[in-house]
Amino acid sequence: MISRLQALGFTIERMPFGDTNNFWAYRGTGSTLAFAGHTDVVPAGDESQWEYPPFEPTIRNGLLYGRGAADMKGSLAAMVVAAERFVTSYPNHNGRLAFLITSDEEAKATDGTVKVVQALMSRNEQLDYCLIGEPSSQYRLGDMVKNGRRGSLTANLTVHGIQGHVAYPHLADNPIHRAIPALQELVSTRWDEGNEFFPATSMQIANIHAGTGSHNVIPGNLQVQFNFRFSTELTDSQIRERVETILKNHNLDYTIEWILPGEPFLTAKGKLVDAVVQAIDHYCGYKPELSTSGGTSDGRFIARMGAQVVELGPINSTIHKVNESVSAADLQQLSRIYQRVMEQLIQ
């Protein structure tokens, strides 16, 4: 990617953090349209289950097979090809075209986009629009784009009791028994009603663990992990306060650790959404659905720069699966859509 962008006259800034390779590239001045994505992939798993080698790109019956073909190396290729055509047609384009590329999205996401964004913000870099190549399409190319994402907040709760023999419960304090009413209240709570762009906030218990494995020991502690996917109707601090109020009302002896992987973000309307919708309609003949569904993405970090953020990529039905694939024709079309967005925003 770097060599092809350099050939177009992009300034390349390598931005490694830890053992993560990232780069920031830009060409031109003025309002900035950045294309963002990640080069890392999830493991292929048992390669014997793959019809074609996962790291040798293979085209069969119009499909490009390979780990990351849909998520999201195909999008990255489409971005570069779109930039090549755009710069060839408009060598003196008005705005600034940029690329923000990381190799730490599928893993911990600690030394990738978040660090690049921090570095750019520290020197007052302006980012107006950002198009991320995440595979947003559901059934046909461009039928859905993501104009926001829910926030994610995880709680690691430990309820403290007193370990003892099950035959002498009066000498112990069972943290499971104590916690069940509180957990039931957490599960049944209606946290908000959502809004025009987001569904209602959901809370899900992901893990519960207690005991030594022995049938005759009352456990001393209960560990519960639960996660909130929350809308813009709530802040993470409001959720934390409500949870801890419930725990205290049930007189639990507890400790809790909170982890905030990402806050919700939304690009409700504006030039970027309009440009993406128009480009899809122009090439596909239909308008996309705007959605905030799914998990988190690196858009949560880029939105901190005040940029309008939209995710548009190929069909996501095979991502993270054996025999991941993407339509070669869709990648060609996706590249044309990306190019038209460039033409509308920075020509």
Side-chain angles (χ1 to χ4, degrees):
M1 291 183 71
I2 286 175
S3 64
R4 291 180 73 150
L5 292 174
Q6 280 180 323
L8 295 174
F10 278 78
T11 298
I12 307 294
E13 183 177 353
R14 296 177 184 269
M15 303 181 75
F17 295 99
D19 60 356
T20 299
N21 292 318
N22 313 289
F23 76 83
W24 167 250
Y26 56 91
R27 185 187 195 279
T29 59
S31 295
T32 300
L33 167 62
F35 282 77
H38 62 90
T39 63
D40 57 318
V41 296
V42 295
D46 183 357
E47 297 190 15
S48 69
Q49 299 297 310
W50 286 69
E51 189 172 357
Y52 307 105
F55 297 108
E56 295 178 18
T58 304
I59 295 181
R60 291 290 186 274
N61 299 318
L63 296 177
L64 171 63
Y65 288 87
R67 172 55 84 222
D71 184 20
M72 52 175 285
K73 312 317 151 270
S75 297
L76 298 183
M79 291 173 181
V80 172
V81 171
E84 290 172 338
R85 288 198 301 255
F86 175 76
V87 170
T88 299
S89 299
Y90 307 99
N92 299 311
H93 53 86
N94 291 322
R96 182 170 67 156
L97 182 59
F99 281 77
L100 194 168
I101 307 299
T102 181
S103 60
D104 180 27
E105 195 271 352
E106 298 288 9
K108 295 181 179 179
T110 55
D111 289 324
T113 299
V114 61
K115 290 288 182 65
V116 175
V117 165
Q118 289 171 355
L120 295 178
M121 291 178 67
S122 70
R123 63 195 198 200
N124 298 316
E125 287 272 10
Q126 183 67 37
L127 201 60
D128 300 283
Y129 317 106
C130 183
L131 189 53
I132 303 174
E134 289 287 357
S136 63
S137 303
Q138 303 294 294
Y139 305 107
R140 55 182 180 172
L141 179 67
D143 62 355
M144 179 179 287
V145 299
K146 302 295 176 69
N147 64 323
R149 295 277 189 163
R150 294 176 296 175
S152 176
L153 177 65
T154 294
N156 291 317
L157 169 69
T158 301
V159 179
H160 305 289
I162 299 174
Q163 183 174 308
H165 196 294
V166 297
Y168 302 95
H170 61 288
L171 299 178
D173 185 4
N174 194 319
I176 300 175
H177 295 185
R178 282 195 173 275
I180 285 175
L183 295 178
Q184 184 58 52
E185 183 174 346
L186 289 171
V187 169
S188 61
T189 294
R190 185 75 172 179
W191 300 93
D192 62 34
E193 300 301 323
N195 55 37
E196 178 185 358
F197 300 99
F198 289 91
T201 293
S202 69
M203 177 269 189
Q204 291 293 316
I205 295 176
N207 291 287
I208 294 181
H209 176 76
T212 63
S214 175
H215 71 281
N216 59 4
V217 177
I218 294 172
N221 291 300
L222 169 67
Q223 295 173 328
V224 185
Q225 184 180 67
F226 49 94
N227 177 269
F228 291 87
R229 293 302 166 106
F230 61 103
S231 73
T232 50
E233 294 295 304
L234 289 174
T235 65
D236 65 285
S237 59
Q238 289 174 319
I239 295 173
R240 297 180 198 203
E241 182 178 348
R242 289 177 65 179
V243 167
E244 298 211 36
T245 296
I246 290 172
L247 298 177
K248 290 173 183 176
N249 286 343
H250 286 272
N251 297 314
L252 297 183
D253 179 13
Y254 72 92
T255 54
I256 192 166
E257 175 195 23
W258 293 99
I259 302 172
L260 180 66
E263 298 177 352
F265 69 91
L266 176 69
T267 300
K269 58 182 66 175
K271 290 184 178 180
L272 179 58
V273 169
D274 291 345
V276 170
V277 169
Q278 195 280 336
I280 292 172
D281 190 26
H282 178 81
Y283 281 110
C284 301
Y286 46 81
K287 287 182 168 60
E289 174 188 352
L290 301 179
S291 173
T292 60
S293 62
T296 59
S297 77
D298 277 356
R300 66 192 190 274
F301 305 126
I302 298 169
R304 296 174 184 171
M305 298 184 72
Q308 298 176 33
V309 179
V310 169
E311 300 172 22
L312 167 62
I315 296 172
N316 57 25
S317 58
T318 65
I319 62 174
H320 292 206
K321 293 183 178 180
V322 170
N323 293 323
E324 180 178 351
S325 63
V326 64
S327 164
D330 279 359
L331 290 185
Q332 295 280 6
Q333 192 82 305
L334 182 62
S335 184
R336 297 185 186 98
I337 293 170
Y338 286 159
Q339 181 183 351
R340 190 165 181 87
V341 172
M342 297 175 189
E343 292 168 351
Q344 291 182 82
L345 294 177
I346 61 170
Q347 177 182 327

